[in-house]
Amino acid sequence: MSELQKQMADYFVICVSEFAAQFNMTPKDAMLYLDKYKGLDFLEKFYDVAHTFSFEDTVADLARICRKHGGRLA
């Protein structure tokens, strides 16, 4: 695994954990939700920019992306 892949994996774990905390979900449920509603795709595609923002901003972006793809969390 390259250094970039390790950094991305760490970043994904933190984002999923922050998302779970924000929406009172388990990390597993958050991961499944983000996968189903394209949040993980967003993190992967835009990692180069997204990782420069706060986790608060990233969680808000993830919620917006998921709503756009049919997710129902507030």
Side-chain angles (χ1 to χ4, degrees), residues 21-49:
Q22 174 72 31
F23 293 102
N24 298 314
M25 305 170 82
T26 66
K28 179 182 177 180
D29 287 340
M31 178 69 102
L32 293 171
Y33 180 88
L34 291 169
D35 185 42
K36 181 176 182 176
Y37 296 110
K38 310 299 181 196
L40 296 179
D41 292 342
F42 168 80
L43 286 179
E44 184 176 3
K45 184 173 182 179
F46 297 106
Y47 170 79
D48 58 333
V49 174

Side-chain angles (χ1 to χ4, degrees), residues 59-74:
V59 168
D61 289 343
L62 286 170
R64 252 189 312 277
I65 293 298
C66 290
R67 277 193 300 274
K68 180 179 174 182
H69 289 96
R72 298 288 179 220
L73 291 178

